[in-house]
Amino acid sequence: MPEILVISGKGGTGKTSVTAAFCHLADNAIICDLDVDAPDLHLLLSPKRFRQEDFYSGNEALILPERCTRCGTCVELCRYGAVQQGEAFVIDPYRCEGCKVCVTFCPEEAISFPEKHCGEWYLSNTRFGPMAHAQLFPAEENSGRLVALLKKEAKSLAEQRGAHLILSDGPPGIGCPVISALSGADLAVIVTEPTPSGRHDLERILALCAHFNIPAAVIVNKCDLNAAHTRAISDLCEQRRLPVVARLPHDVAMTEAMVAAKAVTEFCTCDLTKQLRQAWAEIQVLAGLEAVTVQEP
């Protein structure tokens, strides 16, 4: 069962809108939003949850006031200034790094170290098929671990439902959550834009895909914004023997579909959507799937 991951190397390239279009065009797929820090795909797919679970990862120090003698040992040892002194000693969760020094050296054993409730994850139904997604709480970490959990749940759901494909909207950038998202993927579809930062971040994400031996294809979004940069990206892909499956024009239909909470391919028929349909047909072949033709709306 192939896993297709849509990534960008940076935010703001239109990755989620492109993914939503592919969700609309896909046949018998499990959808997965792996951007757990700032998920957006649910805004277009309107998922209806049938399972909701808390996500715990890492630990946080908590002072037990009934045991604390205010000796100040934790204040002296904390390198991050996380212990706040007032009527009672408390630990600021936004400063605490979870190093456990205060827990280890508290003479009264007055500091507990429970698992941290970092966020929630969900399994939902959408009009395009089942979806696995999540939301970390603000300023929480361990997004790579939550991404791995979502991938596992999506694969289990695909096996239960007899799905032919897992289609994921990946995190932006090249950090830990992206590395986690790439793990086990069969094809990375990279959405870039014809700007200096777009090309720079495309090169970074291509290097990451090469490091993990993940085949990649490229989509240039808003290709008519700068013809020179579009040519430079096309030349780069040609040099590296990477397929450019679409050069999408800038079209207000993408924004109008977003406002209507729809995938652009279900919202209208135009040159943009025709190219997306053609790109999806090529992507299916690259992922080892038999291309499925979707009728125009």
Side-chain angles (χ1 to χ4, degrees):
M1 174 177 30
E3 281 187 54
I4 298 175
L5 174 69
V6 185
I7 48 179
S8 61
K10 67 181 291 291
T13 62
K15 167 180 62 65
T16 297
S17 292
V18 169
T19 304
F22 291 161
C23 291
H24 170 231
L25 300 175
D27 178 59
N28 194 20
I30 299 297
I31 302 161
C32 196
D33 189 351
L34 299 178
D35 185 0
V36 298
D37 290 286
D40 288 327
L41 191 58
H42 65 281
L43 300 175
L44 301 179
L45 271 55
S46 304
K48 306 297 183 184
R49 300 172 190 169
F50 61 84
R51 182 178 177 186
Q52 177 174 329
E53 301 285 348
D54 291 331
F55 174 64
Y56 289 87
S57 185
N59 299 81
E60 61 180 340
L62 295 173
I63 295 176
L64 306 174
E66 66 276 11
R67 292 188 184 181
C68 179
T69 60
R70 299 171 58 89
C71 67
T73 301
C74 55
V75 177
E76 295 173 7
L77 293 177
C78 183
R79 299 288 298 273
Y80 307 102
V83 183
Q84 307 295 307
Q85 301 179 65
E87 293 183 4
F89 281 22
V90 295
I91 295 176
D92 183 348
Y94 295 107
R95 287 178 175 267
C96 178
E97 291 290 325
C99 68
K100 206 178 179 180
V101 167
C102 62
V103 178
T104 302
F105 291 99
C106 177
E108 303 297 330
E109 298 184 354
I111 304 177
S112 64
F113 202 54
E115 270 196 313
K116 195 173 186 180
H117 184 199
C118 296
E120 298 173 337
W121 62 271
Y122 322 102
L123 297 180
S124 302
N125 290 316
T126 77
R127 62 190 182 279
F128 301 144
M131 177 178 177
H133 53 123
Q135 175 69 73
L136 278 176
F137 297 147
E140 295 295 352
E141 299 178 352
N142 296 303
S143 54
R145 185 173 176 183
L146 182 52
V147 166
L149 173 63
L150 281 183
K151 286 171 65 71
K152 178 182 176 181
E153 291 296 330
K155 187 173 183 179
S156 175
L157 189 60
E159 291 171 351
Q160 294 172 23
R161 302 288 182 94
H164 299 158
L165 167 69
I166 296 175
L167 176 59
S168 299
D169 184 17
I174 60 168
C176 177
V178 180
I179 294 171
S180 183
L182 280 170
S183 176
D186 295 282
L187 178 67
V189 179
I190 305 168
V191 181
T192 188
E193 58 187 8
T195 64
S197 61
R199 178 178 175 179
H200 173 265
D201 293 321
L202 171 63
E203 292 182 1
R204 294 199 307 163
I205 196 67
L206 285 175
L208 191 65
C209 290
H211 178 78
F212 290 106
N213 295 317
I214 306 296
V218 175
I219 292 175
V220 184
N221 193 25
K222 298 171 282 190
C223 67
D224 44 0
L225 289 185
N226 189 305
H229 283 303
T230 297
R231 284 195 300 272
I233 290 172
S234 298
D235 291 343
L236 172 67
C237 293
E238 184 176 354
Q239 292 168 10
R240 302 193 182 189
R241 298 182 179 180
L242 295 169
V244 179
V245 295
R247 296 173 180 83
L248 304 176
H250 185 273
D251 195 319
V252 70
M254 190 77 87
T255 304
E256 292 174 343
M258 190 187 312
V259 172
K262 291 186 176 181
V264 67
T265 47
E266 67 174 332
F267 179 73
C268 67
T269 300
C270 58
D271 182 50
L272 169 68
T273 58
K274 289 178 180 178
Q275 290 200 43
L276 281 167
R277 290 171 183 274
Q278 182 177 351
W280 178 242
E282 292 185 36
I283 287 167
Q284 290 177 89
V285 174
L286 291 171
L289 291 165
E290 182 178 350
V292 177
T293 301
V294 180
Q295 297 297 321
E296 297 284 353

